Amino acid sequence: MKEILANLQKRVDINERQLERLLEAFVLTNDFWEAIAISRLPFNTVVEASRQLYSEGIISFEDAGRVVLTEKGKSLIDIEKYPPSNYICESCKGRGVSLEQWQELLEDYRRTVEGRPEPLLEYDQGYLTIDSTIARVAFADGKGDIRKRRIIILGDDDLLSLALGLSRLPEKITVLEIDQRLIEFIERVAKERKLNIEVLKHDLRNPLPSELLGKFDTFFTDPVETLKGLEVFMARGIASLKGEGCAGYFGLTTAESSFKKWRDIEKLLLNEFGVLITDILSDFSLYENWDYLLDSIKKDLPPLQQKPEALWYRSSLFRIELLEGYKVSNEEGQGEIYLDEESIAWSGRENR
Amino acid sequence: MKEILANLQKRVDINERQLERLLEAFVLTNDFWEAIAISRLPFNTVVEASRQLYSEGIISFEDAGRVVLTEKGKSLIDIEKYPPSNYICESCKGRGVSLEQWQELLEDYRRTVEGRPEPLLEYDQGYLTIDSTIARVAFADGKGDIRKRRIIILGDDDLLSLALGLSRLPEKITVLEIDQRLIEFIERVAKERKLNIEVLKHDLRNPLPSELLGKFDTFFTDPVETLKGLEVFMARGIASLKGEGCAGYFGLTTAESSFKKWRDIEKLLLNEFGVLITDILSDFSLYENWDYLLDSIKKDLPPLQQKPEALWYRSSLFRIELLEGYKVSNEEGQGEIYLDEESIAWSGRENR
C-alpha cells in the first residue's frame, strides 16, 4: 500500500485514508461515476489516480466502462473498515428535513420547469433535482429564512426562484443571472403565474449595483467552485444582505473542490468575511446529469466514454450567518473564475 | 421594536433577528426551557432578556412558571415569518441517519448503562440520550471512522465508550476520564462484557501522556464550552490522532455558546489547528435533564424554579478532519476552563 501511495502521490494530492476510501468505493460499486461520489475526492483526482491504478493492475475495466478492483487491488485493503451501508435515512434521503408538507409545491414546480433550458458549459451550469431544490426551500424555511423575507439568488440555473415564487412565502425574490435563456424562462413563468420575481441581467464578476446593497434577508447561490469564483459569489451574497442575523446558502461539491479547497473556503468565510458557518450538511443536494459532460473532459479511460446513469454529482449545503464584525466587499472580480485544475472541465479545456 | 431592542442591548448581546426569534419562541411554546432551545440563544442571554421583557410587560408568567407573550408582545412581531413547524424528519429526528440497523445495540446499551452515575456540576457533566449516543456511532460509522479504528474519548460522561464497545466494531477504545465513579462504572462493564476498552484517569488540562500522541484514528468529545476549555479539548483530540484523514467529533450547544463563540471556535479550528470542518449538524444531540441544574443557577424568574420537562439542552454535531498542514499542540491548559459568562452555572456561582 505504501509503495502504491507513494507512486500516486507523485501525480495527485491524495492521502492514505483517501486512497483506502477510493479502493473501497470500487468494491461498493462498479459504476465509476458513483465511485467518485463515494470517494469524496475530486473528479480529476479520481481520474488521474485511476490511470495509475489501472497501469499497476489494481483496477480493471469491463464492458460498458464498468470498473472492478482486481485481486491485487482487493489484497491492499481491509473491506471491513467501511460499513456495508451508510445508514442514510430513507424518508428524508439523509437531509433531515421532511418534504411531506411540500408535496403540492413539489409537483407544481416539477410541471412548471418542464422545458427549461439545458445546461451550458460556458456558464458552468448544471441543475439540482426537483427534490433537492424543494429540500433547500424546506430547510431554509425551518431556519426562518424564507417567509416574508427578501431573497436574492445569485445565478439561477436551478430555477430556485420559481420554487420560492410558487411557494408564495417570500416577500420578494430577486434573481441575478447572466444567461439570456434562463432570464426569459423565469420572466415568462413569473408573468404567467404572477410570481413576485424580479430578474436582472448581471455578470457576478462585476460589483453589485448599489440599489441591491444591504437589501436582502437571505441569499442562495451554487457558486463556481474555483477559489476566485467562490470569493466573488460570497462577496456579492454578503454585500446584498441587510445585516446581522441574515443568512446565505450555498452548495459545495467534493467532485470539483478538494477538502483543501474546502478549508480555504472556510477560512475565507471566517477570516475575510467574518461570517459564521452554522450548518454543513454532507451531500444534501443531487444534480441531474448534464449533456455537455463528456464533451468537456479528456476521454482516455473507458468509463469516461460512457454517460453516467447514477446521480453522482452532489453538493453539501452550507449555511452562513452574519454576526457583528462581518465585512462587506463589492469589488470587481479579476481574471478567470470559471476554471481551475479541480474543475471537471479542466482536462478537456484544450479541445475547446 | 427598535426601542425594546435598544433597551435589551444595554444588558445582553442580541440582534434584531435574535430578538424576533426569541419572541416567536414564546408563541410556539409556553415552556420557558423549550423556548431557549428554539431561540438558539444562550441560556444566560434568554434569562437576562426575559427579566427585561417581563419588566416591560412583553412577556408574563403563569402557573408553574409557564411563559406567555402578552398582547403588547404579540404586536411586536410578525408571527408569519416563522413556519408553524420545522419539517424535522420524523423517522430520523432530523439527523439524517437511520437507527434501524442499530436497534439491537441500542437496546443492549440502554440496559447496560442502567444505574450509571448521576451528572456532577464539578465536572460540567450531563449526558446524551440513548438515541443520541447511538446516532453518533451510526453517523461516524457511515463516515468510515469507527470500524477497525482506534478511538479515543476525551471525557466520557455520555458512556459512548460502552456503546462503541458493545458494537464490537472498533479495534480499540481508550477513555480519558477524571471522575472516579465513571472510571469504575466503565471498567466494571468492560470487564463483565469483555469489551476492548482501556480507561485512563486524566485531567484534560494536563498534556496527553506521550504514549497516546499520534495513536488514534478518531476522537470524540463533548467539550467544556468555554473557549479555553474548547481549545484544550481540541488540542488533546488533534494531538491524539495519527494524521491526515483522521477525524474528530464534538458537540457544541447554543445554550452555553453564543454564535459569536461559535465563530471563535471555528476560527480556532481553522487558523490555530489548521483542520477542516466537514460537517455541522444542527441540534443533532439531545441530553437528559440533570438534577443539579436548579442548584447551579439564580432562580429569580418563575420558570427557573421549575425543573424542565422537555429535553431542551441540545448540541450540534461537528466533524473535523485532519489535512496536510494541520498543527499539533500539547501544552498545559492554564486557568479556569469550566466557567465563562455563557455557562449556565455562571449566574449561580456565588451560591457555591
Side-chain angles (χ1 to χ4, degrees), chain A residues 21 47 67 80-81 136 211 217 295 314 334:
Chain A
R21 188 149 187 116
V47 169
V67 59
E80 288 176 15
K81 275 187 177 166
R136 273 195 193 180
E211 65 271 22
D217 298 292
D295 295 333
R314 300 166 191 182
Q334 303 289 340

Side-chain angles (χ1 to χ4, degrees), chain A residues 87 141 266 277 279 282 324, chain B residues 87 141 260 266 277 279 282:
Chain A
Y87 319 120
D141 190 34
E266 292 181 358
I277 305 167
D279 298 83
S282 285
E324 194 189 331
Chain B
Y87 319 119
D141 190 34
K260 284 187 183 166
E266 292 182 358
I277 305 166
D279 298 84
S282 285

Side-chain angles (χ1 to χ4, degrees), chain A residues 63-82:
Chain A
D63 286 354
R66 298 190 85 70
V67 59
V68 287
L69 201 63
T70 62
E71 288 309 312
K72 183 179 171 189
K74 282 180 193 157
S75 73
L76 294 171
I77 54 163
D78 181 351
I79 187 65
E80 288 176 15
K81 275 187 177 166
Y82 284 89

